[in-house]
Amino acid sequence: MSIPILICDDSGFARKQLARSLPQNWDVEVSYAANGVEAITVIKDGKADILFLDLNMPVMDGYQVLEAVRSQDLPTLVIVVSGDVQPEARQRVMALGALDFIHKPIDSAKLLAILEQYGILQELDGRGSSEEAQDSHLLIEDLTFDIQEGYQEVANVGMGQAADLLARLLGVFIELPVPQVRKLSASRLPQLIRNAIPASEVSVVTQGFVGSGVSGEALLFIEDSHLDGLAQIIERQVDINAGRQLDLLMEVSNILIGACMGGFAEQLDLKFSMGHPVLLGRALDVKDLPLKAVNTDDELLTIEMCYSIQEQHINCSLLLLFTGDSIPMLDERINLLVE
Amino acid sequence: MNQGIAVSDVHWMMDALQSIEVGLLVVDSDNRIVAWNAFMEHHSGIKSASAIGANLFQLVPNLPVDWMTRQLEAVTALKIPVYSTWKQRPYLFRFKSYRPITGSSDLMYQNVSFLPLGSVSSESANICITLYDVTQSAVSEQAMNQLNDELAHLSRTDRMTQLNNRGHWEELALREFKRCRRYGNTSSLVMFDIDHFKNVNDTYGHQVGDEVIIALATTVRKMIRDSDMAGRYGGEEFVVVLSDTDAEGAATFCERARLEIEQMVVEALGETVRFTISLGYSQMNPDVSSLEVWLKQADAALYYSKEHGRNQVTLFDPALIPL
């Protein structure tokens, strides 16, 4: 008999990526859910002996699903699959009764090892007919997704890796909203930046990258007043001099840009050369940012990620900007991930 | 390096690393130097033979040890490249600049990268430190910033009095007006001019007239606080926004200014000049719908002072003074 499993993730791309990472010949019947509410319905229908659960989702997130499963004693084993690799995220879900926690991007070999470890793979091998296996394969092929979701997922993972490093530096938990992916005309960039960064006094660092037919810049924005907050966390003192503030800014930029671009390149199997980071300014009004590209009608791919430490009301934004001519290569690599 | 590289190729590759115009050194996890290229040799005066195997911090004095240790640890722990720019730290290694004669900096500004190097056993990976000489662009940027600051100052300042010129003062006053409207602060706007200034000019000449204006401006500059904004509005007409100051506070300020000027003696070109000023002011109020209205009210109050005998202070009052 096939094992009913459920893949719950708000991203169609992520659902497909997970479905194709499942062990071949594993006799399963896969259902899909795009948020926690849908997932609960499927579980109650008895179609989810095993639930692969994402954490960050709209409507009802993964943490809430775990709570519901526990409080209502729903019949499902939950394996959390998330790009949030901070130790605290793992602790939280394990405490809520998850069986295990798998990091995105999902690694088929690791997934297989975990399934074996918990003895939920016995249905594998000869039991499932090859015809059925063929069928489920077709199903995966049929799963559709928007390319935007692919970017979002890759960004999500890169962002998670960067957050993990920042969390370790600061010793706090970093909230990770879903990254925003847009393709837009370069002339709309100033508007995007103004909406993303409402403050009028920010420090901005930019670092260019180029390689494998892809190029662009990573821009980091931190409100100047938030740098004091960061200093409080790291140095445990309120006032730091301007030199130390700049050091701190560069430390955060090294971590967020380095880890995020590293994660991005690794997932897409691209290699970049990184330029030296440049401080565009401090106490800068984003209206005054020098944006050469705004004069052109070029298309840009923008990925906006916001990192925030809620307790301290600190947040900073990382904006990855890819030039229009990078898009074909990026699209190709994203599609390769689920082929 | 790739395994496919022939031994004969290693020679020219090493040569290239040696002679590249970038400082390149590699340290191991104990900060011992593994590589030290010609750029480092020449600028530091330390031969690679003495450098290799030595502890970096013992070999090179005056390195920011704590800061560098933190960067090296971050590279090792996080496996990410770490960068430092000249703005953050003008230099890491205290090297002379390349143009000791025609350059404007004695020391070399540096951008520095700390790059994790791949290793078979990832535990003890080496770190590559590269130094870029950015003296030229650092010096140009600093010169440009300085020039911009000077230009900005020039474009905002009245040359003779060193007060804000009219254009810049209006910008500041508009900002203050908006701030008051948004947060409900109470600030006051003062307008004043020199009584019978034409007589000063006609009697003593324009040069003495200029000295009178400068003396008045100097007095005003000394009287205001950092948060106040004073400007030269016209020839002998001046404006001051007293921030977070109500009518009572403004009255005190105006009266003090009037008295000080009345008692002041200006000596210029052998002449001794005494003069007085007339003042009008308006406290921010609900009728003030724009900066123009605020100015008009203060101006009307000033006109009232003039009409009623000069050398006096008037608060704008809609019941008494027509706009």
Side-chain angles (χ1 to χ4, degrees):
Chain A
M1 205 186 94
S2 304
I3 302 180
I5 71 167
L6 169 62
I7 296 176
C8 178
D9 196 308
D10 56 320
S11 159
F13 179 87
R15 292 195 294 269
K16 185 166 186 174
Q17 212 179 4
L18 181 65
R20 64 179 280 285
S21 305
L22 294 174
Q24 296 200 339
N25 308 328
W26 191 23
D27 186 11
V28 289
E29 189 192 326
V30 188
S31 305
Y32 299 95
N35 62 55
V37 175
E38 286 180 28
I40 298 290
T41 312
V42 176
I43 298 169
K44 286 182 174 166
D45 283 352
K47 288 185 185 164
D49 282 7
I50 301 166
L51 163 60
F52 293 98
L53 179 68
D54 181 30
L55 288 180
N56 293 348
M57 289 181 294
V59 188
M60 180 181 190
D61 69 15
Y63 295 106
Q64 291 168 307
V65 172
L66 281 165
E67 272 165 22
V69 165
R70 189 166 64 171
S71 66
Q72 299 173 38
D73 200 17
L74 299 177
T76 186
L77 292 174
V78 185
I79 296 175
V80 169
V81 183
S82 173
D84 192 343
V85 294
Q86 298 176 77
E88 199 181 322
R90 186 192 176 89
Q91 284 161 18
R92 281 191 196 178
V93 301
M94 297 308 279
L96 283 167
L99 191 61
D100 211 326
F101 185 101
I102 307 178
H103 294 167
K104 288 179 178 177
I106 199 140
D107 176 339
S108 321
K110 263 186 204 157
L111 178 61
L112 187 65
I114 285 176
L115 294 174
E116 273 172 349
Q117 184 190 334
Y118 293 105
I120 32 190
L121 259 195
Q122 63 269 58
E123 304 293 328
L124 208 131
D125 296 333
R127 292 247 219 140
S129 72
S130 60
E131 213 172 299
E132 269 176 302
Q134 205 77 64
D135 274 355
S136 79
H137 210 73
L138 272 178
L139 278 173
I140 294 173
E141 294 302 308
D142 287 344
L143 291 178
T144 57
F145 65 90
D146 191 278
I147 190 78
Q148 211 109 327
E149 288 183 324
Y151 281 106
Q152 209 161 38
E153 192 59 19
V154 170
N156 211 3
V157 171
M159 184 180 176
Q161 288 169 353
D164 178 40
L165 299 190
L166 188 63
R168 279 198 251 164
L169 173 79
L170 301 177
V172 293
F173 185 70
I174 314 259
E175 306 284 338
L176 298 176
V178 179
Q180 299 294 315
V181 179
R182 295 182 182 88
K183 281 180 183 167
L184 48 80
S185 152
S187 57
R188 287 181 48 212
L189 187 58
Q191 181 70 39
L192 173 89
I193 292 179
R194 273 202 301 278
N195 290 345
I197 296 96
S200 60
E201 293 208 333
V202 289
S203 291
V204 187
V205 178
T206 181
Q207 193 170 8
F209 53 83
V210 63
S212 323
V214 172
S215 65
E217 285 183 56
L219 275 88
L220 181 78
F221 301 85
I222 304 183
E223 274 183 51
D224 287 331
S225 55
H226 291 189
L227 277 174
D228 287 331
L230 276 178
Q232 274 178 45
I233 298 176
I234 297 186
E235 317 258 300
R236 309 204 179 284
Q237 62 184 54
V238 182
D239 289 316
I240 53 170
N241 63 35
R244 184 69 192 101
Q245 273 205 352
L246 192 50
D247 262 355
L248 199 58
L249 176 66
M250 293 310 293
E251 269 176 42
V252 172
S253 134
N254 282 328
I255 286 179
L256 289 185
I257 297 180
C260 204
M261 288 309 298
F264 206 86
E266 194 185 341
Q267 289 176 80
L268 299 183
D269 197 19
L270 298 169
K271 291 257 187 298
F272 298 132
S273 278
M274 303 289 292
H276 215 87
V278 173
L279 177 70
L280 283 184
R282 309 215 41 211
L284 201 69
D285 189 326
V286 289
K287 286 203 298 287
D288 302 331
L289 267 187
L291 297 170
K292 177 175 79 74
V294 298
N295 301 320
T296 71
D297 291 330
D298 274 359
E299 198 179 26
L300 285 181
L301 176 79
T302 69
I303 303 179
E304 181 191 332
M305 301 175 228
C306 183
Y307 294 85
S308 69
I309 308 167
Q310 279 188 340
E311 274 170 51
Q312 279 86 358
H313 302 290
I314 295 172
N315 50 56
C316 61
S317 296
L318 181 60
L319 200 57
L320 303 185
L321 304 175
F322 295 90
T323 55
D325 55 4
S326 312
I327 295 176
M329 181 60 164
L330 289 171
D331 281 358
E332 185 188 317
R333 289 303 169 106
I334 297 272
N335 281 312
L336 267 181
L337 285 178
V338 285
E339 262 174 26
Chain B
M1 289 186 197
N2 295 323
Q3 286 168 336
I5 294 169
V7 179
S8 60
D9 288 335
V10 173
H11 183 73
W12 63 258
M13 285 182 177
M14 288 306 292
D15 224 20
L17 285 184
Q18 268 301 310
S19 42
I20 188 174
E21 261 306 294
V22 171
L24 193 147
L25 63 150
V26 176
V27 294
D28 68 12
S29 49
D30 295 322
N31 303 325
R32 272 196 307 268
I33 296 167
V34 179
W36 185 262
N37 78 347
F39 181 101
M40 295 305 295
E41 279 193 351
H42 299 154
H43 287 278
S44 69
I46 302 168
K47 288 275 178 206
S48 121
S50 353
I52 288 175
N55 179 293
L56 174 63
F57 298 123
Q58 283 164 10
L59 183 74
V60 184
N62 302 323
L63 285 175
V65 180
D66 291 345
W67 179 84
M68 260 181 92
T69 305
R70 219 171 42 240
Q71 312 307 312
L72 293 167
E73 280 171 2
V75 176
T76 308
L78 311 178
K79 297 269 177 286
I80 53 166
V82 164
Y83 303 89
S84 148
T85 77
W86 64 269
K87 284 189 193 172
Q88 183 184 2
R89 214 160 267 279
Y91 60 85
L92 197 53
F93 290 84
R94 197 183 161 84
F95 291 165
K96 279 194 205 161
S97 88
Y98 253 126
R99 285 167 50 209
I101 316 298
T102 64
S104 55
S105 167
D106 290 337
L107 294 173
M108 179 198 290
Y109 284 83
Q110 296 155 10
N111 275 352
V112 184
S113 322
F114 301 82
L115 309 168
L117 293 179
S119 150
V120 186
S121 64
S122 62
E123 290 295 306
S124 59
N126 291 341
I127 293 175
C128 175
I129 304 176
T130 50
L131 252 70
Y132 299 89
D133 176 358
V134 291
T135 312
Q136 192 65 43
S137 47
V139 167
S140 318
E141 187 173 329
Q142 284 172 337
M144 197 180 73
N145 285 344
Q146 199 188 337
L147 203 63
N148 278 340
D149 287 349
E150 281 168 22
L151 281 175
H153 180 75
L154 280 177
S155 72
R156 293 189 300 244
T157 312
D158 175 61
R159 183 75 71 89
M160 192 206 284
T161 61
Q162 293 298 307
L163 294 178
N164 294 303
N165 62 26
R166 180 167 170 167
H168 185 58
W169 180 85
E170 280 176 342
E171 276 176 37
L172 296 175
L174 187 62
R175 212 177 297 166
E176 181 67 10
F177 163 76
K178 286 180 177 166
R179 195 179 70 93
C180 288
R181 286 287 289 244
R182 188 175 311 147
Y183 302 112
N185 296 41
T186 303
S187 296
S188 294
L189 197 160
V190 182
M191 210 167 200
F192 59 93
D193 71 7
I194 301 173
D195 295 328
H196 302 302
F197 184 66
K198 195 174 174 306
N199 291 351
V200 176
N201 273 339
D202 291 348
T203 314
Y204 306 103
H206 284 280
Q207 271 176 295
V208 175
D210 286 352
E211 291 302 323
V212 165
I213 285 175
I214 291 168
L216 170 57
T218 308
T219 305
V220 171
R221 261 213 322 278
K222 281 182 193 153
M223 284 181 63
I224 59 172
R225 303 161 301 177
D226 285 347
S227 54
D228 299 333
M229 293 145 261
R232 186 179 180 197
Y233 202 69
E236 75 276 17
E237 199 171 15
F238 296 84
V239 275
V240 181
V241 170
L242 300 166
S243 94
D244 295 322
T245 305
D246 61 9
E248 198 181 330
T252 310
F253 171 89
C254 289
E255 194 50 35
R256 230 185 83 210
R258 191 194 64 74
L259 262 172
E260 273 199 38
I261 297 300
E262 188 183 50
Q263 288 160 6
M264 188 167 72
V265 178
V266 178
E267 287 176 16
L269 301 171
E271 305 283 359
T272 302
V273 186
R274 304 182 73 112
F275 64 101
T276 57
I277 56 174
S278 298
L279 306 92
Y281 65 101
S282 161
Q283 179 194 295
M284 183 72 187
N285 59 69
D287 289 344
V288 175
S289 55
S290 67
L291 176 61
E292 286 68 39
V293 173
W294 205 9
L295 273 163
K296 249 186 206 168
Q297 292 186 350
D299 193 32
L302 166 59
Y303 185 76
Y304 188 93
S305 291
K306 290 271 183 210
E307 290 291 292
H308 291 77
R310 298 190 165 81
N311 191 21
Q312 57 186 273
V313 178
T314 308
L315 164 66
F316 174 76
D317 178 349
L320 286 177
I321 302 170
L323 258 190

